């Protein structure tokens, strides 16, 4: 039986199930403390595998197209944060403080890897450049996202990174990632040969973090603190944020690049990584606030998948591979 097109994939369904379970059966007390240590270990393993998966050769091979990669990185780490920071006064009126902080946090994250490359490929874009841009974005995001969060979120009136958070970032993210890059010489082949196991660890770690995050937030009164109208505005804010990013990356791509490279900017420059965002958020923010912080990211992730899938199919259907996107 064919899967209905409107039904989210299994990963999204697992995330929704984790939220529902945390709402009605949140983990508490001593069990929550043990669970916290378990998710810390899972995050370290996740970033170790990210380091082992990332091919330096692929990054180096595509690095010659430096103008395109600079535009993607500028969209990810300059354009998005500027939009998010500028929107904070309005979002603070429409959303709760934690949700507004979550929207800003979305803006500070690196691009996705798998889906950015997949959508670029479907649309007939420059796949090797997409691999380079998405990989470079994730590599830099390990360092830039926490730094930007410490700088911009404190300016917007939200908690910034403390010295303790910096230590956690180094210990739980940077060190495992660097260890994975070093170990790639020995385990890179094994990691490449077992994509399903790596994917299970990757997605399973995120589901664990989401359940723990929402459990702590529910115990602290999350759903009593978020009005339904604020949730409605959150969907609107995420949709508008994505629309602005898509419009600007499309316009710049059309003006500066041939079609194949413009598609890379469109899909890599407008997306945000759930896989990197939730673990980084766990390191940066208090457990009681984490559920509300990651909720905007989870909503944005689903919207970007639906919209970009439609755009990729449309690009593949109506634009010849050899034609420049500037028309």
């Amino acid at each position: 039986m064919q899967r209905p097109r409107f039904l989210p994939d299994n990963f999204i369904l697992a995330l929704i199930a984790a939220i529902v379970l945390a709402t009605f059966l949140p983990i508490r007390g001593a069990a929550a403390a043990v669970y916290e240590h378990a998710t810390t270990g899972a995050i370290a393993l996740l970033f170790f595998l990210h380091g082992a998966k990332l091919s330096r050769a692929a990054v180096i091979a595509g690095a010659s197209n430096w103008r395109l990669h600079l535009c993607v990185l500028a969209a990810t780490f300059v354009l998005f944060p500027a939009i998010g920071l500028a929107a904070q006064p309005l979002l603070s009126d429409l959303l709760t403080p934690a949700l507004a902080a979550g929207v800003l946090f979305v803006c500070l994250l690196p691009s996705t890897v798998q889906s950015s490359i997949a959508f670029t490929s479907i649309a007939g874009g420059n796949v090797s450049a997409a691999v380079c841009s998405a990989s470079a974005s994730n590599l830099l995001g390990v360092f830039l996202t926490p730094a930007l969060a410490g700088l911009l979120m404190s300016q917007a009136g939200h908690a910034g990174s403390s010295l303790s958070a910096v230590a956690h970032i180094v210990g739980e993210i940077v060190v495992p990632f660097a260890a994975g890059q070093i170990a790639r010489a020995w385990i890179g082949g094994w990691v490449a040969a077992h994509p399903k196991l790596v994917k299970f660890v990757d997605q399973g770690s995120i589901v664990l973090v989401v359940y723990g995050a929402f459990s702590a937030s529910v115990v602290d009164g999350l759903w009593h603190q978020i009005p339904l109208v604020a949730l409605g505005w959150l969907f609107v804010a995420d949709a508008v944020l994505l629309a602005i990013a898509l419009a600007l990356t499309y316009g710049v791509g059309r003006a500066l690049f041939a079609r194949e490279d413009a598609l890379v900017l469109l899909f890599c420059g407008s997306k945000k990584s759930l896989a990197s965002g939730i673990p980084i958020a766990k390191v940066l923010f208090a457990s009681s606030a984490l559920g509300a912080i990651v909720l905007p990211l989870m909503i944005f992730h689903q919207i970007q998948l639906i919209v970009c899938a439609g755009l990729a199919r449309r690009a593949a259907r109506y634009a010849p591979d050899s034609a420049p996107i500037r028309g």
Side-chain angles (χ1 to χ4, degrees):
M1 183 177 177
Q2 187 176 6
R3 186 188 187 92
R5 294 182 63 181
F6 64 85
L7 191 66
D9 62 25
N10 290 334
F11 179 45
I12 297 299
L13 291 176
L15 292 176
I16 294 172
I19 295 174
V20 173
L21 182 62
T23 298
F24 295 101
L25 291 172
I27 192 166
R28 303 169 181 264
V34 174
Y35 190 89
E36 178 80 9
H37 291 300
T39 55
T40 297
I43 289 172
L45 177 60
L46 182 151
F47 276 95
F48 175 81
L49 292 176
H50 277 194
K53 284 193 301 181
L54 183 59
S55 170
R56 282 164 285 181
V59 175
I60 294 171
S64 59
N65 199 344
W66 60 269
R67 281 201 315 152
L68 173 61
H69 304 320
L70 282 179
C71 284
V72 171
L73 292 175
T76 303
F77 296 115
V78 178
L79 173 64
F80 260 106
I83 295 172
L85 196 60
Q88 282 301 293
L90 176 61
L91 293 178
S92 297
D93 291 335
L94 299 176
L95 309 176
T96 67
L99 290 179
V103 174
L104 179 56
F105 180 68
V106 169
C107 297
L108 311 181
L109 292 171
S111 178
T112 61
V113 178
Q114 292 93 338
S115 57
S116 291
I117 296 168
F119 290 144
T120 301
S121 176
I122 291 169
N126 186 338
V127 175
S128 62
V131 170
C132 177
S133 284
S135 299
S137 176
N138 267 253
L139 177 61
L140 291 173
V142 172
F143 307 96
L144 286 180
T145 295
L148 288 171
L151 176 65
L152 300 183
M153 297 190 77
S154 60
Q155 289 185 7
H158 309 298
S161 297
S162 65
L163 289 177
S164 175
V166 171
H168 283 298
I169 291 163
V170 172
E172 296 178 28
I173 296 177
V174 177
V175 171
F177 186 88
Q181 278 280 283
I182 294 170
R184 179 176 170 78
W186 297 280
I187 68 171
W190 183 89
V191 170
H194 297 83
K196 290 184 178 179
L197 178 60
V198 173
K199 183 178 180 181
F200 176 79
V201 173
D202 196 359
Q203 296 185 348
S205 300
I206 296 169
V207 173
L208 287 175
V209 171
V210 167
Y211 173 66
F214 275 88
S215 289
S217 297
V218 167
V219 170
D220 204 48
L222 171 67
W223 300 123
H224 298 290
Q225 299 167 6
I226 300 179
L228 285 177
V229 67
L231 283 176
W233 280 118
L234 178 59
F235 277 90
V236 173
D238 275 348
V240 171
L241 177 63
L242 178 62
I244 293 173
L246 287 170
L248 292 176
T249 52
Y250 174 81
V252 172
R254 183 173 181 176
L256 297 181
F257 302 109
R259 176 181 181 272
E260 292 80 3
D261 288 348
L263 289 170
V264 175
L265 178 57
L266 178 68
F267 290 116
C268 294
S270 64
K271 316 246 328 296
K272 291 296 181 178
S273 174
L274 182 74
S276 296
I278 289 180
I280 292 175
K282 181 185 179 298
V283 177
L284 289 176
F285 303 103
S287 297
S288 59
L290 192 54
I293 292 289
V294 301
L295 187 58
L297 173 59
M298 296 173 66
I299 294 172
F300 186 89
H301 176 80
Q302 189 62 17
I303 294 174
Q304 74 181 4
L305 289 181
I306 294 171
V307 172
C308 289
L311 290 175
R313 287 194 293 267
R314 181 179 177 85
R317 188 180 305 120
Y318 293 108
D321 288 343
S322 58
I325 199 169
R326 55 175 70 91

